[in-house]
Amino acid sequence: MASAAAKVETRTWVLQAETELRFDVSAEHTLTVVLRENTAEMFGIELAAEYEYKFSSTKAAVFTWYGCTIETTGWVSSIYVAQETPMKSYVNTHAQLEARRDKALQALQAGRTNITGPRVMVVGEADSGKSTLANILAAYAVRLGRCPTFVDLDVGQGMITVPGGIAAAALDSNSMSVEEGFSLTAPLVLFYGHTSLQENPELFKKLVGRMAECLKRRVANDIDASASGAIFNTCGWVEGLGLELLAHAITVLDIDVVLVMKHDRLYADMVATLPRSVAVINLPRSGGVALRSSQYRRASRDRRCREYFYGGGGGAAAAAAGGAPALSPAALHLDFNDVSIFRVGGQTVSDAMLPVGHSDSSLGPLQVNPFYPSSDLLHTVLAVCHPVLRQDGTMLGGASGLEGDRDSAEAAQELLNSNAAGFVYVTEVDMDKRRLAVLSPCPGSLPSRFLIAGTVKWQE
C-alpha cells in the first residue's frame, strides 16, 4: 500500500490489475484526476482517457481491472493504493443479475407479462457502502444497454434529488457521470419532508406504497424496462422500527434480491423473516468505507441542496473559488394568498385532550394540514406539488387555493399522492407585507400553488 502526505502536488500512480486508488478530498480543496494509460472506472462508470476529472468534498476510488496509470493534482486529506477490494464479488453479483434479466426478457418477448427482471435492494447499516454498490450495479447494467430503474429510499442522503424525499429514475447511457453522479431530467419524487424515518414512519410506508404503484405503471408497457428490473438504495437504520420499515418496503416493492453489506445479524434477520422466494446475499464491504460524522452528514445534505439550485460546485463554493455557478436560480416573491402551504402529520393526542367537535384524525400521521406562513419557514425547503385535478380534469383550487372549495379536505389529502414538481427555498418571510421570498431553480410562475413543508432546512 502506497501513501502520500496531506498535500499532493502532481503525482503519477501506476496501479496493478484489480487495485484501486482511494482518496478523500475536503470541501475546501479540489483534486484533479487524469487517466493517462489503459482503462479504469469509478463507481462502475468508465473514465475517459486524458480527461481532467475534478473532485471536491468527496471520498471515492478509481478501480482498474487490468492496470492503469493515473495522474493526480491537488490537495487531499488522504490518498493511497489499495490492493484488496470487493470488486470481484460485486461483478459476480452483477453477472447473476444479468442472467435474471436475460431470462426475464426472453419470457416477456414470449408474451409472459407476469415476469419482470430482478428487483434488487441493497441494505446495511450506515456507512457500509450501500450507495456505492447500488451505483456500481446500476452503471454496469447501463453499460450493457439495460435501462433499469434506480430508486433511492434513503431520505437522509438524496442521491437523486434534495434530502427528504424518496425518488425513482429511469437510467440510460446518458444518466450517469463520474463527477455529477446521476444526471436526470425528470425523476419521480415523493416528498417525505424529513431526513429521519423516525419523524413519521407511517408516512414513509404510505409513500413506499405509492412508489410501488408508480413503478408498476412504468414497466407495464415497456418490455426493456421490465426486463432490466430495478435497483433500490436504502437508509442505514436496520434495528427495531428501522428493520420493520425495511421489511415492509421489501414486501410492498416486490423485492426478489436483497444484498446485505456484510452484517451477519441483519443477514440472519433477513433470511429468517423473508420468504424463500427472496434471495438474500451477504456481500463484503470495501476497506475504504469510513464512518462519517454528523457534521459531515449535515454538510453533505447542504451540498445536495446547493447543487439542486446552483448545479455542481455552485453557490457559495463557486463564489469562494472565484467561479460562476453552473445554474442560475431565480428569486421569486410570493404573496401569502398566492400559495397554499401544507404539512403532513402531527402529534396524536387522546380524545379527552382535543377541543369539542374535533377528532384525533386531524393530527394523525397521514393527515394533510394547512400550514400558515410564519418566521418558522425561513430557510425551509418546500416541495412544489403537481396540480391536483378533479375527476373531470379541472384543476382544484385555482387562483384562490383550497379555501371555500367544497372538496378542500379531499383535495388536501390528495397531495399525499402528488409527485413533487420541484423545490423552492425560503430566503425571506415578511409578515408585515405578507410575502415570501423564495429561490427557484427556474424563472416564471410555479407549477402549482400547493407547497409541502417539512423539517428539511438549508442555509446558504
Side-chain angles (χ1 to χ4, degrees):
M1 180 175 70
S3 62
K7 180 179 180 180
V8 178
E9 298 287 346
T10 297
R11 183 162 181 179
T12 300
W13 304 82
V14 180
L15 304 185
Q16 302 302 313
E18 298 182 17
T19 63
E20 64 185 19
L21 178 67
R22 298 172 180 167
F23 57 85
D24 183 355
V25 191
S26 67
E28 296 78 21
H29 302 116
T30 300
L31 179 70
T32 301
V33 177
V34 181
L35 173 64
R36 293 302 185 190
E37 294 181 6
N38 297 334
T39 61
E41 62 186 46
M42 182 178 293
F43 303 127
I45 306 171
E46 288 185 289
L47 298 182
E50 302 300 331
Y51 179 84
E52 293 187 352
Y53 294 95
K54 298 183 182 296
F55 301 96
S56 181
S57 188
T58 301
K59 297 180 180 180
V62 177
F63 176 82
T64 178
W65 285 105
Y66 306 107
C68 70
T69 301
I70 298 289
E71 183 180 278
T72 61
T73 304
W75 290 69
V76 291
S77 301
S78 68
I79 184 168
Y80 62 93
V81 175
Q83 306 291 339
E84 297 183 1
T85 77
M87 288 300 295
K88 279 188 176 180
S89 296
Y90 295 170
V91 78
N92 287 338
T93 301
H94 161 69
Q96 295 177 39
L97 298 179
E98 275 300 301
R100 288 180 176 235
R101 292 183 180 112
D102 287 335
K103 184 177 180 180
L105 183 58
Q106 293 173 2
L108 288 166
Q109 290 174 337
R112 298 176 59 189
T113 57
N114 62 326
I115 302 297
T116 63
R119 299 170 71 88
V120 188
M121 180 173 285
V122 185
V123 303
E125 59 187 356
D127 301 322
S128 60
K130 298 187 305 298
S131 301
T132 297
L133 176 58
N135 256 319
I136 291 172
L137 294 177
Y140 280 177
V142 168
R143 285 166 62 176
L144 291 181
R146 306 291 189 181
C147 48
T149 303
F150 190 94
V151 184
D152 185 20
L153 301 180
D154 188 352
V155 298
Q157 182 169 319
M159 290 181 67
I160 295 177
T161 185
V162 300
I166 65 174
L171 302 183
D172 57 31
S173 59
N174 299 316
S175 300
M176 305 178 73
S177 69
V178 171
E179 292 173 298
E180 298 181 2
F182 293 102
S183 302
L184 308 167
T185 55
L188 167 69
V189 182
L190 303 177
F191 192 55
Y192 170 69
H194 315 282
T195 58
S196 170
L197 296 184
Q198 297 183 40
E199 291 285 346
N200 196 336
E202 290 303 317
L203 175 58
F204 180 76
K205 288 183 178 180
K206 168 71 175 179
L207 296 182
V208 168
R210 171 65 175 162
M211 178 64 73
E213 296 172 0
C214 295
L215 294 178
K216 287 181 180 178
R217 286 201 299 269
R218 161 165 165 70
V219 303
N221 299 306
D222 190 329
I223 289 180
D224 290 334
S226 182
S228 297
I231 299 169
F232 297 78
N233 183 47
T234 60
C235 74
W237 188 20
V238 295
E239 298 178 353
L241 179 57
L243 182 61
E244 176 187 326
L245 294 175
L246 195 59
H248 172 268
I250 291 172
T251 301
V252 172
L253 295 167
D254 294 327
I255 302 300
D256 53 17
V257 179
V258 175
L259 305 178
V260 182
M261 300 304 294
K262 194 53 182 177
H263 193 302
D264 293 341
R265 185 178 63 185
L266 179 59
Y267 172 76
D269 289 338
M270 293 286 99
V271 171
T273 59
L274 297 179
R276 291 187 177 182
S277 58
V278 179
V280 183
I281 304 171
N282 208 8
L283 290 176
R285 304 184 188 185
S286 169
V289 170
L291 294 178
R292 296 172 293 179
S293 65
S294 58
Q295 293 83 355
Y296 184 95
R297 292 178 181 277
R298 284 196 298 268
S300 179
R301 287 194 288 267
D302 289 345
R303 185 174 66 255
R304 291 295 297 147
C305 291
R306 184 179 297 112
E307 289 174 352
Y308 176 81
F309 291 102
Y310 290 101
L327 302 178
S328 299
L332 305 180
H333 294 277
L334 308 172
D335 290 336
F336 287 178
N337 293 331
D338 292 337
V339 294
S340 298
I341 305 175
F342 297 88
R343 178 170 283 174
V344 183
Q347 183 178 3
T348 302
V349 297
S350 65
D351 291 340
M353 296 292 291
L354 293 170
V356 176
H358 289 72
S359 67
D360 63 354
S361 62
S362 63
L363 298 176
L366 299 181
Q367 184 67 30
V368 181
N369 301 305
F371 184 82
Y372 299 99
S374 68
S375 57
D376 292 339
L377 275 179
L378 188 62
H379 305 312
T380 298
V381 176
L382 303 174
V384 183
C385 296
H386 280 289
V388 179
L389 302 179
R390 297 185 178 89
Q391 291 185 352
D392 59 7
T394 59
M395 187 172 72
L396 192 65
S400 61
L402 297 180
E403 292 77 3
D405 195 299
R406 61 186 177 87
D407 299 323
S408 59
E410 291 80 359
Q413 286 306 120
E414 278 302 312
L415 294 178
L416 282 177
N417 297 319
S418 177
N419 309 338
F423 299 90
V424 295
Y425 162 63
V426 181
T427 59
E428 182 183 353
V429 181
D430 191 329
M431 297 302 296
D432 294 330
K433 296 182 179 180
R434 295 178 54 80
R435 187 170 64 179
L436 296 175
V438 301
L439 193 68
S440 171
C442 59
S445 58
L446 299 179
S448 83
R449 61 177 293 120
F450 302 121
L451 308 178
I452 300 292
T455 58
V456 178
K457 288 184 177 288
W458 169 57
Q459 188 169 357
E460 290 190 77

